[in-house]
Amino acid sequence: MTLKEIKVADLNLNPFTTIRKEWLVVAAGNKEKVNAMTASWGGLGIIWNKNVATIYIRPQRYTKEFIDREDTFSLTVYDEKYRAALNLLGSVSGRDEDKIKESKLTVEFQENTPYFEEAKVVLICRKLYHTELKPENFDVHALIDQSYTDNDYHTMYIAEIIKAYVKSEK
C-alpha cells in the first residue's frame, strides 16, 4: 500500500471516533530528531477560512519542544493492529528512550515534516496560532479539578491542514 494525496475537503473521517477511540499520533521534528505522542484531545474544523486541526499538549510533554520549534507537524491515524505501538508512544517519554525505534513504526518525511509510513491517514499541518489555557478563562470550573490537579494546563495549537493523505491499494 502507498499513500495517496487527497483534497483536505475530501477527507472522510469522524473526528469524534478518530480522536477519541482511534487516537491520533502527533509527530514533529527534523531529519536529525523526531518525537511523537498520542493525542486524544483535539478537533478538526474551519477557522480563518482555513481547514484546521487543533491539538492540546501539556507543558511536560517532550513532543511539545518539537512542536514549538518547528513550523509544521503531522497528525496520523492507524488501524487497530498498531494499538501496541500507539500505547508505547503515549506512555513512554522520548527523553528517556528511543520510543519510535521501539514502536517499530517507520518515520518518513513529507518535505521536512515527519510522519509514519504505517498510518492510514496523514495530515500535514502548519502552525497558525497557539495559546496557553488559563484557569481564569474556564467557565466551568469543575473542569480544572477534573483535568488540572497538577496545574499543567495544555497549550492549544491551531494548525492549517496543508496536505492530506490516505492509504491506497495502488
Side-chain angles (χ1 to χ4, degrees):
M1 286 205 277
T2 184
L3 287 175
K4 172 184 153 190
E5 186 172 0
I6 63 168
K7 293 178 182 176
V8 175
D10 292 340
L11 192 60
N12 186 22
L13 58 83
N14 179 331
F16 300 105
T17 55
T18 299
I19 296 168
R20 177 172 285 169
K21 295 185 179 176
E22 295 179 62
W23 298 346
L24 298 174
V25 170
V26 180
N30 54 42
K31 303 229 171 152
E32 288 81 46
K33 180 80 172 157
V34 173
N35 201 57
M37 61 178 260
T38 56
S40 58
W41 289 22
L44 300 173
I46 308 292
I47 190 169
W48 304 309
N49 296 315
K50 297 183 182 301
N51 299 313
V52 299
T54 57
I55 58 169
Y56 301 81
I57 301 179
R58 290 191 192 268
Q60 65 268 38
R61 295 302 298 254
Y62 186 44
T63 304
K64 185 177 185 313
E65 295 176 27
F66 292 76
I67 297 281
D68 289 342
R69 185 180 66 226
E70 304 298 331
D71 292 331
T72 61
F73 60 87
S74 67
L75 297 174
T76 49
V77 181
Y78 300 81
D79 291 322
E80 185 62 32
K81 69 182 177 180
Y82 295 104
R83 182 60 63 174
L86 301 184
N87 281 326
L88 179 72
L89 293 179
S91 63
V92 172
S93 174
R95 282 188 191 100
D96 302 328
E97 60 188 84
D98 190 345
K99 66 181 181 178
I100 292 174
K101 181 178 179 181
E102 192 174 326
S103 75
K104 297 184 175 48
L105 294 176
T106 309
V107 177
E108 296 288 344
F109 286 87
Q110 192 333 293
E111 295 180 18
N112 293 318
T113 306
Y115 69 92
F116 296 102
E117 179 181 289
E118 294 81 3
K120 67 180 181 180
V121 176
V122 175
L123 304 178
I124 304 297
C125 302
R126 179 175 51 94
K127 293 184 308 184
L128 299 174
Y129 179 83
H130 71 278
T131 191
E132 319 308 323
L133 299 186
K134 297 177 180 162
E136 61 268 19
N137 292 341
F138 279 81
D139 295 318
V140 177
H141 293 280
L143 294 171
I144 295 171
D145 294 335
Q146 175 186 322
S147 297
Y148 298 106
T149 56
D150 293 331
N151 294 314
D152 56 345
Y153 295 90
H154 289 84
T155 299
M156 178 186 73
Y157 298 86
I158 300 173
E160 180 180 12
I161 304 168
I162 54 176
K163 292 191 184 262
Y165 300 90
V166 294
K167 281 284 186 188
S168 170
E169 295 295 328
K170 294 181 182 181

